Amino acid sequence: LPKPKAILCVSAHWETSGTFVTAMKSPRTIHDFGGFPQTLFDAQYPAPGSPEVAQETAKEVKTTTVGLDEKWGLDHGTWSVLLPMYPKADIPVLQLSLDHTKPPSYHFELAGELAKLRERGVLIIGSGNIVHNLRMVNWDGKPYDWAIEFDELVKSQITKRDYKPLVEYEKLGNAAKLSIPTNEHYLPMLYTLGLIGKKEEVSFFNESIDLGSASMRSFVVK
């Protein structure tokens, strides 16, 4: 991938009432987890922010008001992904929040309004999991049948460019219900789907399922 002008990440770990974008010059690194090795708590990602790109983001969205946030920062849904991608932390990074009061269709449609940011060199990342049910972790690592079923279904729908069933995932049966007990980890993917251009290619990587119930499937659009 070419080095972006800035990075806008939609993380599963920033849920708000309303939609917000981080707008500070120097976002803090947030360690929003517990029970993990000290190495993760010691990790820092001192990337700059960009008030200018935050204002561009708010301006592009017409269907709702995007608030400018000065308090949040970069949570682990963002920095844990960017640390291996851009270890120098020399690219401005912003986060877009998930409005937990809105239906999935809101998030998918909002993504389309962000398309012009990509044209200006902004890389947009959706950071979550297609399958994310930590209540049913399988410590021996063997994936559940329902996790495999739903993960493959999502891949198939993306490959066919038929996104409506994925937006209306609650109609997809028991495998979807088990895979998405709460949707904050699923919604970031809808942002990426809403940004795919008609002539763009989608390539999948890291098609594993960890701990039986967390799909690590990822894809790149370009």
Side-chain angles (χ1 to χ4, degrees), residues 31 33 36-44 79-80:
H31 299 88
F33 45 71
F36 289 94
Q38 186 61 39
T39 303
L40 286 175
F41 291 94
D42 293 340
Q44 293 292 319
W79 65 257
S80 70

Side-chain angles (χ1 to χ4, degrees), residues 80-100:
S80 70
V81 174
L82 294 182
L83 188 58
M85 288 179 67
Y86 301 105
K88 294 181 180 179
D90 57 351
I91 301 169
V93 180
L94 305 86
Q95 281 197 208
L96 185 73
S97 73
L98 294 171
D99 185 348
H100 67 83

Side-chain angles (χ1 to χ4, degrees), residues 3-4 7 22 41 49 56 60 69 72 78 84 102 106 109 117 145 149 208-209 215 222:
K3 185 176 180 178
I7 299 169
T22 54
F41 291 94
E56 284 184 53
E60 288 301 331
D69 176 85
W72 186 246
T78 294
K102 300 296 186 181
Y106 167 87
E109 291 163 8
L117 295 177
D145 290 342
E149 176 186 341
S208 63
I209 295 178
S215 167
K222 58 181 179 177

Side-chain angles (χ1 to χ4, degrees), residues 56-219:
E56 284 184 53
T57 302
K59 184 178 179 181
E60 288 301 331
V61 177
K62 309 297 184 185
T63 56
T64 190
T65 298
V66 176
L68 301 180
D69 176 85
E70 297 279 353
K71 296 180 180 180
W72 186 246
L74 306 179
D75 61 51
H76 82 273
T78 294
W79 65 257
S80 70
V81 174
L82 294 182
L83 188 58
M85 288 179 67
Y86 301 105
K88 294 181 180 179
D90 57 351
I91 301 169
V93 180
L94 305 86
Q95 281 197 208
L96 185 73
S97 73
L98 294 171
D99 185 348
H100 67 83
T101 70
K102 300 296 186 181
S105 58
Y106 167 87
H107 302 279
F108 180 76
E109 291 163 8
L110 177 60
E113 298 186 75
L114 303 175
K116 288 186 178 179
L117 295 177
R118 293 184 66 205
E119 296 172 8
R120 297 175 194 147
V122 178
L123 171 65
I124 300 178
I125 296 175
S127 176
N129 297 88
I130 292 170
V131 177
H132 188 269
N133 189 338
L134 299 187
R135 302 169 192 169
M136 297 185 68
V137 163
N138 185 357
W139 292 107
D140 70 11
K142 183 179 179 181
Y144 291 102
D145 290 342
W146 51 262
I148 296 172
E149 176 186 341
F150 188 69
D151 182 67
E152 290 291 342
L153 172 63
V154 170
K155 179 182 180 180
S156 174
Q157 293 300 130
I158 294 174
T159 301
K160 292 188 293 187
R161 310 252 174 161
D162 183 7
Y163 309 133
K164 185 177 180 181
L166 301 182
V167 176
E168 300 175 352
Y169 68 88
E170 293 169 310
K171 300 177 182 179
L172 293 178
N174 193 54
K177 184 177 180 180
L178 288 168
S179 297
I180 313 171
T182 57
N183 68 9
E184 77 285 344
H185 276 76
Y186 183 80
L187 294 177
M189 182 187 71
L190 298 186
Y191 281 85
T192 62
L193 298 182
L195 284 162
I196 299 176
K198 292 181 179 180
K199 296 182 179 180
E200 290 189 303
E201 296 294 326
V202 179
S203 56
F204 296 92
F205 66 98
N206 196 15
E207 301 181 280
S208 63
I209 295 178
D210 280 355
L211 300 174
S213 60
S215 167
M216 306 308 290
R217 177 180 299 282
S218 306
F219 55 91

